Amino acid sequence: MKIRSLLFFLLLASGGALAQEKKLIPIEEVQGVWTRRFMYDRQLVDHPLALQIPLMEARDPEVNVEFLKFKRQRKLSGWLAGFSTVFAFSTYLSKGSISEGFYWSAVGGVALANVYIGAVSNRHFNKALKRYNELSKAQMGLKLSSSGQTGVSVGITYPL
């Protein structure tokens, strides 16, 4: 009977190991003079949006929320830049229909909004990256303990 329960435990433990999530690899930031790059799994990544898959593999609610806020704000920033370009081009085609003061106010306002949204979105990305790296550096281990003759308990421990 003890051999069966031991075999069942080993089968259960090996099945748990197979179902365990992929090990998270830390993401390093490589800061240049004018550029910001990232090193992930010995590969150089030029754009933060390219890190979506590794960040989402963490399956951490905080990482997901922060990264999705970053992504949404980057998309909004792109739309604002597109609006500014269309507005400038349409003003160029129809000269004299819009006053110069209104033109510079609109373009300047969109530019300021874009800078603000870019700064806020980078803050969200930095929070997601920091949390991901905390999770990836956490030392995971398997803790086995027996409680007399009643059974064996298994737990996964990692410091945060």
Side-chain angles (χ1 to χ4, degrees), residues 14 17 60 70 79 89 139:
S14 67
D60 182 64
F70 161 75
W79 279 101
F89 188 67
Q139 297 298 315

Side-chain angles (χ1 to χ4, degrees), residues 25-32 35-51 54:
I25 300 168
I27 300 171
E28 287 184 49
E29 185 174 353
V30 181
Q31 192 73 34
T35 60
R36 183 178 182 197
R37 293 180 178 175
F38 305 94
M39 186 70 89
Y40 173 73
D41 197 20
R42 293 177 289 170
Q43 296 179 357
L44 196 60
V45 178
D46 289 333
H47 201 277
L49 287 173
L51 295 171

Side-chain angles (χ1 to χ4, degrees), residues 24-99:
L24 300 177
I25 300 168
I27 300 171
E28 287 184 49
E29 185 174 353
V30 181
Q31 192 73 34
V33 177
W34 300 106
T35 60
R36 183 178 182 197
R37 293 180 178 175
F38 305 94
M39 186 70 89
Y40 173 73
D41 197 20
R42 293 177 289 170
Q43 296 179 357
L44 196 60
V45 178
D46 289 333
H47 201 277
L49 287 173
L51 295 171
Q52 179 174 357
I53 292 173
L55 289 172
M56 292 296 151
E57 281 180 347
R59 290 191 168 93
D60 182 64
E62 185 180 339
V63 173
N64 291 347
V65 166
E66 294 296 335
F67 184 77
L68 292 176
K69 282 181 184 178
F70 161 75
K71 191 175 171 183
R72 197 170 30 247
Q73 289 171 347
R74 286 298 274 244
K75 190 179 286 189
L76 176 62
S77 179
W79 279 101
L80 284 174
F83 169 75
S84 178
T85 303
V86 168
F87 180 70
F89 188 67
S90 67
T91 304
Y92 177 75
L93 291 178
S94 60
K95 293 182 180 182
S97 64
I98 297 175
S99 71

Side-chain angles (χ1 to χ4, degrees), residues 2 12 26 82-83 89 106 108-109 112 131-132 141 153:
K2 287 189 177 202
L12 181 66
F83 169 75
F89 188 67
L112 284 175
R131 175 69 179 154
Y132 173 86
S153 63

